[in-house]
């Protein structure tokens, strides 16, 4: 939690105002942030200085793991977080590749599970990683990347957290996740949870011990209409200790994650938090 508050404070203190043409808003911006999560000791990096809707973050992650491309499927899992980008983003609404209401196109999990090869066949990046790690193999290329510039025009948004690299040292699994663009009040609140939970889940289904998760962010920003709430409300609050994430131990395979797992299989134990803050969202 301290590292989240330090990053937010750093943006307030040192951020540079940058015009963003996609949203038409200015963003107070810094470059380069390194966050580390202790998955081994289950220090769940949930925000405590406001109420975090952590289930929505895990629902998003499950949707990526399943390769979903429809905001309706994300809603069915328990998050509305893709509704605006699928249905209110001007550029995407005009794009002939959009297949209709709720379509997100070839984003995130679609690339992770169904990367298209020139010969028309597909690569299941996540399937390959799970198979390797389960056998104790780390070929130094256990990389899940959603970043496919050749298909940016076939999706509603370029992936923000775009690449996850898994590393096996003995029987301990590590994760390094890269993020190109980070909306600190809204996105990061979810992304911290997702990086932590991705490592915890991957360790569990491959029979490994989780180590640390390393989260590397390039452009970290506050939109102009978020600055006051962050500076004068959220940063004035004292954080609470980190709670623990409990994951149903019956989840044992990628198939389990793809089929029967729901948000009821996740629980946060001892989550103390301040009141909710409603930050503006920019499409
Ligand atoms: N500008 C922007 N910021 C983002 O963080 C973001 C995007 N766009 N587009 C793609 C996804 C969608 N994400 C989202 C979308 C909505 C919330 C949101 O509204 N969060 C609220 C309420 C959550 C709830 O009730 O479930 C929050 O208070 O955290 C968070 C992340 C993260 N990403
Ligand atoms: O997981 C996510 C997804 C999105 N974001 C934020 C970061 C930016 O504010 C926008 C994306 O806009 P771009 O113009 O494509 O950079 O969404 C996030 O923080 N986390």
């Amino acid at each position: 939690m301290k590292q989240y508050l330090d990053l937010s404070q750093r943006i307030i203190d040192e951020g540079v105002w940058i015009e963003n043409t996609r949203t038409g808003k200015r963003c107070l911006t810094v470059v380069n942030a390194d966050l580390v999560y202790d998955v081994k000791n289950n220090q769940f990096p949930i925000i405590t200085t406001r109420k975090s809707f952590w289930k929505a973050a895990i629902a998003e992650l499950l949707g990526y793991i399943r390769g979903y491309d429809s905001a309706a499927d994300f809603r069915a899992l328990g998050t509305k977080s893709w509704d605006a980008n699928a249905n209110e983003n001007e550029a995407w609404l005009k794009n002939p590749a959009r297949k209709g209401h709720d379509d997100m196109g070839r984003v995130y999990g679609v690339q992770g599970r169904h990367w298209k090869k020139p010969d028309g066949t597909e690569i299941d990046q996540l399937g390959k990683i799970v198979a390797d790690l389960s056998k104790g193999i780390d070929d130094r290329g256990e990389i899940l990347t959603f970043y496919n510039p050749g298909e940016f025009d076939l999706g509603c948004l370029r992936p923000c957290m775009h690449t996850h690299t898994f590393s096996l040292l003995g029987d301990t699994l590590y994760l390094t996740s890269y993020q190109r663009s980070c909306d600190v009040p809204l996105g990061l609140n979810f992304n911290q949870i997702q990086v932590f939970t991705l490592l915890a889940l991957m360790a569990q289904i491959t029979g490994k011990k989780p180590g640390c998760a390393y989260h590397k962010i390039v452009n970290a920003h506050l939109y102009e209409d978020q600055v006051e709430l962050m500076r004068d409300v959220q940063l004035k609050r004292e954080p609470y200790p980190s709670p623990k994430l409990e994951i149903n131990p019956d989840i044992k395979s990628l198939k389990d994650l793809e089929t029967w797992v729901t948000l009821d299989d996740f629980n946060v134990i001892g989550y103390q938090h301040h009141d909710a803050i409603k930050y503006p969202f920019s499409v």
Side-chain angles (χ1 to χ4, degrees):
M1 182 70 232
K2 182 172 182 308
Q3 49 189 353
Y4 179 88
L5 297 175
D6 287 349
L7 173 59
S8 304
Q9 189 64 56
R10 189 180 133 212
I11 299 175
I12 302 281
D13 295 341
E14 300 166 19
V16 176
W17 282 109
I18 302 292
E19 203 69 50
N20 178 253
T21 46
R22 194 180 64 76
T23 56
K25 292 188 190 169
R26 288 185 315 145
C27 292
L28 199 53
T29 306
V30 299
V31 167
N32 193 39
D34 273 303
L35 308 179
V36 181
Y37 313 124
D38 182 356
V39 186
K40 180 177 178 211
N41 294 306
N42 200 352
Q43 297 286 300
F44 192 49
I46 194 170
I47 300 308
T48 62
T49 48
R50 75 175 176 102
K51 184 174 183 191
S52 170
F53 299 91
W54 61 270
K55 284 203 171 195
I58 295 182
E60 241 190 27
L61 177 67
L62 259 187
Y64 299 153
I65 288 173
R66 291 179 179 180
Y68 283 172
D69 66 355
S70 162
D73 289 334
F74 280 85
R75 278 199 302 282
L77 273 176
T79 179
K80 298 192 185 107
S81 58
W82 279 96
D83 288 8
N85 281 105
N87 299 317
E88 290 166 33
N89 166 343
E90 279 309 317
W92 179 235
L93 291 177
K94 282 193 249 148
N95 189 321
R98 183 172 179 266
K99 297 194 298 278
H101 194 69
D102 282 333
D103 183 34
M104 297 156 59
R106 294 191 54 81
V107 295
Y108 285 87
V110 179
Q111 302 295 349
R113 306 304 309 272
H114 307 283
W115 182 289
K116 272 203 186 122
K117 287 177 33 170
D119 65 4
T121 60
E122 290 182 351
I123 300 174
D124 177 2
Q125 300 180 64
L126 186 61
K128 176 262 185 195
I129 295 168
V130 170
D132 274 3
L133 298 176
S134 302
K135 286 181 266 175
I137 296 169
D138 169 2
D139 68 5
R140 299 192 285 197
E142 303 299 349
I143 297 175
L144 173 66
T145 186
F146 306 139
Y147 211 72
N148 184 351
E151 294 200 338
F152 283 165
D153 54 350
L154 302 181
C156 65
L157 195 73
R158 292 169 301 165
C160 290
M161 211 156 62
H162 57 81
T163 300
H164 302 279
T165 301
F166 295 90
S167 306
L168 203 50
L169 296 184
D171 61 357
T172 304
L173 187 65
Y174 296 83
L175 171 62
T176 307
S177 297
Y178 307 87
Q179 183 161 359
R180 66 169 176 84
S181 175
C182 181
D183 175 342
V184 172
L186 287 175
L188 187 52
N189 163 51
F190 276 21
N191 298 138
Q192 297 201 145
I193 290 172
Q194 290 165 343
V195 170
F196 182 98
T197 307
L198 180 59
L199 177 57
L201 279 174
M202 287 291 280
Q204 184 164 318
I205 66 171
T206 60
K208 303 293 174 254
K209 294 182 188 145
C212 282
Y214 304 100
H215 187 177
K216 301 189 176 292
I217 299 168
V218 179
N219 180 306
H221 49 263
L222 299 172
Y223 286 93
E224 58 191 13
D225 48 10
Q226 298 172 326
V227 172
E228 210 175 285
L229 277 173
M230 178 57 84
R231 187 189 55 217
D232 301 339
V233 182
Q234 196 170 354
L235 280 169
K236 294 275 187 281
R237 297 174 173 178
E238 277 301 316
Y240 292 107
S242 291
K244 306 262 179 233
L245 176 67
E246 200 175 69
I247 301 178
N248 182 349
D250 292 339
I251 302 175
K252 293 199 164 81
S253 67
L254 186 51
K255 194 101 237 125
D256 291 342
L257 289 170
E258 288 164 355
T259 51
W260 57 263
V261 172
T262 69
L263 296 182
D264 295 339
D265 296 299
F266 301 87
N267 209 351
V268 175
I269 313 292
Y271 182 29
Q272 278 180 280
H273 56 79
H274 291 264
D275 290 345
I277 300 176
K278 209 161 171 37
Y279 280 103
F281 177 77
S282 299
V283 185

